[in-house]
Amino acid sequence: MGDQQIHPQSYWRWSKQDFFPEESFRDWSTYRYALSHTYSRFIDRLLTRSQDSDEIEKLRKQSENDMKRCLNWWDLMWFGFGAVIGAGIFVLTGQEARNNAGSAIILSYAASGFSAMLSVFCYTEFAIEIPVAGGSFAYLRVELGDFVAFITAGNILLECILGGAAVARSWTSYFTSLLNRETNSLRIHTNLAEGYNLLDPIAVCVLVIAATIAVSSTRNTSKLNWIASAINTIVILFVIIAGFLHADISNMKPFAPFGVEGVFRAAAIVYFGYGGFDTIATMAEETKNPSRDIPLGLLGSMSIVTIIYCLMALSLSMMQKYTDIDPNAAYSVAFEKVGMKWAKYLVALGALKGMTTVLLVGALGQARYITHIARAHMIPPWFALVHPKTKTPINATLLVTISSACIALFSSLDVLASLLSISTLFVFMMMAVAIIVRRYYIKGVTPRSSLLKLVGFLAIIIGSSIGTSACWGLNPSGWVGYAITVPLWFLGTLGISLMLTQQRVPKVWGVPLVPWIPALSIATNLFLMGSLGYMAFIRFGICTVIMLIYYVLFGLHATYDMAHQQSEMEPKVIEEDSVGKP
């Protein structure tokens, strides 16, 4: 009854108060005042870090209704499987084998898988310690502060929206293959710029259907994911076994026609195929036993996925020479060329199932990211509301789905994949930094001298990693640059290990070999970022500028008001509690 008295409003409400309830947006005079204090507010948000308890307890109240705890480790394992295996293996494998890596695409997947597994370790520790829907956004808000969390939130939003759009476009490609039609035959041809001139209404429909299922019930979505993932597993086993049965070792020569540089350029792109694992961390609020279920779900699913990716890439390379691979529907066409024309339809069906689960699980995880970002008022808190009947964040799902649908209608997969990979790699790199900070710094406990050393060593690790990536981009075969940057990375990591004492011990499970594994994760993610083309960085830079403009005009003032409103309310709550006690 208490909750009904406090929140009698309907879920479907549209007033200004629901979107901009903060004092800074009350009227034009308060907004002008807020803008005039932008610098001081920015310093406040830059230096302010959230607390574990704030993320777990206080922010959840912004949703008005709790999500239902209905998932176990088995659900999470299949969610991980369903979230990851889709466009990455079925589409990007052919694209990157043809254009960048050749038969060495298996090494590209191994390199990306290694880097992803390092990030999985970081996510697992945080998800156990801070089991909330916000995933990496919540973790970074606690360890690196509000502003860093916002930049990350912007990249998460970008990742969510572009990821859904990219997979939906891939879904259309395989659907046309299943119908035995030309790849772009179901798209509408226009006179727009290249890369944006093929409109894809089918992709829009698929996104809408996946979102509708996701908002109906988390438990029912999990059951549907089981079924679809089981079918996908059967197809994957068929692809691997049939591929090896029709293998021709001569197809793998030359093994790396584009050299080592091509292998890592492809690795940076196919990393997109590993990006869905962070979805599991966002399910923490709906998990019955996060401390047990999340490590099993994350580490288990990612280990299996990495092995599957490498075996599938190898089977494709052995069936067809890289110059003959169809970049749009690689596996279907490969089986057709070796005389198994009927297998083309089975592979296309399996690929569709895989991409459908990616969209389905993505709709769940992405909405939960958006929900927690909205709880912190980084975006309007209307998107944080959880529906009282379905126990799902319908508003957040609408935001992601409508945005993804608009982009999927226009943009081709190659335009989306490079931008998506750079956002994913950036977020994962920041997660590794956050793990080191969490272990070695506690506000009010860690001496200032230790904090300065930590900042200095982290700057050396990040700077040397960027330097290594730059050396690779400018002169891959040179050794002088590496002779400087690699020892610097080693000394920076060694400095943290020997000169600083860990301030915090994980409660249940922690990343092993800290600071070495997080430092290696920083280096590999930055290295893969450096392997992307310059256009990816230009698009990334443009998106970052747009994010910063939004932050200065809206996000900064909303989060400032939210934080200071909470801090003003705390003394009142303590006073009321003390009065109420006998």
Side-chain angles (χ1 to χ4, degrees), residues 134-466:
S136 52
F137 167 72
Y139 314 149
L140 292 173
R141 195 163 178 262
V142 168
E143 298 306 330
L144 300 181
D146 225 47
F147 177 69
V148 174
F150 170 78
I151 296 298
T152 305
N155 279 281
I156 290 169
L157 280 166
L158 197 63
E159 186 182 329
C160 291
I161 292 166
L162 294 184
V167 177
R169 295 280 299 198
S170 301
W171 199 98
T172 304
S173 294
Y174 265 87
F175 184 58
T176 54
S177 177
L178 189 64
L179 297 178
N180 200 26
R181 299 182 60 162
E182 290 294 324
T183 304
N184 292 320
S185 61
L186 295 180
R187 295 187 173 117
I188 301 170
H189 296 252
T190 68
N191 294 321
L192 298 173
E194 185 70 27
Y196 306 93
N197 59 333
L198 297 172
L199 305 187
D200 197 337
I202 293 176
V204 174
C205 294
V206 172
L207 283 166
V208 171
I209 292 169
T212 303
I213 295 170
V215 298
S216 64
S217 164
T218 302
R219 187 65 194 159
N220 290 340
T221 305
S222 177
K223 291 176 182 177
L224 186 59
N225 178 62
W226 288 357
I227 297 168
S229 296
I231 295 171
N232 196 26
T233 303
I234 294 170
V235 174
I236 286 169
L237 290 174
F238 165 79
V239 169
I240 293 171
I241 295 170
F244 286 138
L245 289 175
H246 291 83
D248 184 352
I249 299 297
S250 64
N251 285 332
M252 299 189 69
K253 297 177 183 178
F255 181 67
F258 302 96
V260 181
E261 185 178 359
V263 171
F264 283 106
R265 193 182 303 115
I269 297 294
V270 301
Y271 198 90
F272 164 56
Y274 290 97
F277 74 80
D278 52 329
T279 299
I280 297 176
T282 69
M283 300 291 179
E285 279 185 34
E286 293 155 283
T287 302
K288 295 176 183 176
N289 186 354
S291 61
R292 181 200 66 187
D293 296 338
I294 289 175
L296 288 172
L298 263 172
L299 297 172
S301 61
M302 281 305 296
S303 300
I304 295 169
V305 164
T306 303
I307 294 170
I308 286 173
Y309 274 9
C310 291
L311 289 176
M312 287 187 71
L314 181 61
S315 70
L316 178 65
S317 298
M318 294 174 76
M319 271 197 296
Q320 272 196 305
K321 198 174 183 65
Y322 79 95
T323 51
D324 298 328
I325 292 174
D326 185 327
N328 294 308
Y331 290 93
S332 297
V333 175
F335 278 112
E336 189 175 1
K337 291 288 177 65
V338 296
M340 298 177 65
K341 190 172 183 179
W342 58 271
K344 167 185 175 180
Y345 302 104
L346 180 62
V347 171
L349 180 63
L352 282 179
K353 287 288 185 184
M355 292 175 202
T356 303
T357 59
V358 169
L359 290 171
L360 199 59
V361 180
L364 281 177
Q366 292 158 5
R368 280 139 190 81
Y369 266 132
I370 303 302
T371 299
H372 204 76
I373 291 170
R375 287 171 176 172
H377 289 221
M378 292 271 182
I379 59 176
W382 183 80
F383 295 108
L385 299 177
V386 172
H387 197 277
K389 291 184 179 179
T390 64
K391 302 295 183 183
T392 57
I394 295 177
N395 295 345
T397 307
L398 285 172
L399 173 64
V400 179
T401 304
I402 293 170
S403 302
S404 292
C406 291
I407 293 173
L409 185 63
F410 292 98
S411 304
S412 65
L413 181 65
D414 58 337
V415 171
L416 296 172
S418 60
L419 182 55
L420 181 61
S421 286
I422 200 170
S423 294
T424 304
L425 290 165
F426 175 77
V427 173
F428 290 172
M429 184 273 292
M430 295 304 297
M431 284 290 295
V433 173
I435 277 290
I436 295 176
V437 172
R438 184 171 182 83
R439 292 290 191 91
Y440 288 93
Y441 175 70
I442 298 177
K443 187 177 181 180
V445 176
T446 306
R448 181 173 173 78
S449 59
S450 297
L451 174 60
L452 293 175
K453 289 177 185 176
L454 177 63
V455 171
F457 288 135
L458 278 172
I460 292 171
I461 291 169
I462 295 170
S464 61
S465 298
I466 293 172

Side-chain angles (χ1 to χ4, degrees), residues 37-47 147 551 556:
H37 289 76
T38 295
Y39 178 75
S40 59
R41 291 185 171 196
F42 174 74
I43 297 299
D44 177 89
R45 294 293 84 207
L46 181 66
L47 301 177
F147 177 69
Y551 185 68
L556 168 64

